[in-house]
Amino acid sequence: QYAAIEAYTGNHSSYLKNVKKILSFVGMYVYENLKSNMINILKPEGGFYLFPEFINTKFSSSSEMCENILNNTGVALLPGNDFGIEKEKMVARLSYTDFNGADFLKSISGSKNLDEVDIKKCAPNIVEGVEKLKDWSNSL
């Protein structure tokens, strides 16, 4: 009950500003590092999901493609058809939240801008996953 009271009455503006800054930074990192001739992807506009479309794939459905990605890279994506996208379109939902939020929050004290050192330190799974997806898409 005390936590609920604090949630509704406390001032969390600094925390929310920093969380938005982190999610924006991580989203742009994923976007910038995945966009290519093999992957169509739109810039993130909020939230923590992207919907990359993989070009020149040999699969009959996005479910089959996501299963192949998981088996070959260990990266788990959800097929686009689970979100109303035609199953023949090789679109997947990618969440970019596999990181240590507490470490990120420590990294952005004051007005410090986040950089590549921060993402490698605080979000190594994101960095590794993006590299694996790039390698997978380039191998098609």
Side-chain angles (χ1 to χ4, degrees):
Q1 293 170 342
Y2 292 111
I5 291 168
E6 176 61 25
Y8 287 106
T9 60
N11 181 356
H12 306 289
S13 59
S14 177
Y15 171 78
L16 292 173
K17 178 183 169 195
N18 287 335
V19 168
K20 288 176 186 177
K21 185 176 180 179
I22 292 166
L23 287 171
S24 176
F25 174 73
V26 175
M28 285 304 294
Y29 173 86
V30 173
Y31 165 76
E32 290 292 340
N33 285 279
L34 281 184
K35 70 178 181 174
S36 70
N37 291 337
M38 302 301 291
I39 303 172
N40 287 335
I41 191 168
L42 297 174
K43 281 186 181 181
E45 294 183 12
F48 44 85
Y49 297 111
L50 291 171
F51 285 86
E53 179 180 13
F54 296 88
I55 308 301
N56 296 329
T57 60
K58 56 187 175 192
F59 307 103
S60 61
S61 71
S62 58
S63 295
E64 182 184 342
M65 177 190 71
C66 287
E67 185 175 336
N68 184 275
I69 291 171
L70 179 61
N71 291 336
N72 287 289
T73 68
V75 176
L77 302 172
L78 291 172
N81 62 293
D82 285 355
F83 302 92
I85 299 168
E86 298 168 22
K87 72 176 187 172
E88 296 81 17
K89 290 193 96 173
M90 297 301 118
V91 175
R93 186 181 82 164
L94 180 155
S95 171
Y96 50 87
T97 56
D98 189 2
F99 57 79
N100 187 319
D103 286 349
F104 258 129
L105 287 169
K106 289 177 195 168
S107 295
I108 59 172
S109 60
S111 61
K112 179 188 180 296
N113 287 325
L114 295 168
D115 58 28
E116 188 124 349
V117 172
D118 294 312
I119 199 151
K120 286 180 179 177
K121 177 182 141 210
C122 302
N125 292 344
I126 300 285
V127 173
E128 181 183 3
V130 165
E131 284 303 313
K132 287 180 175 184
L133 284 174
K134 284 184 348 187
D135 290 345
W136 178 86
S137 68
N138 288 331
S139 72
L140 298 175

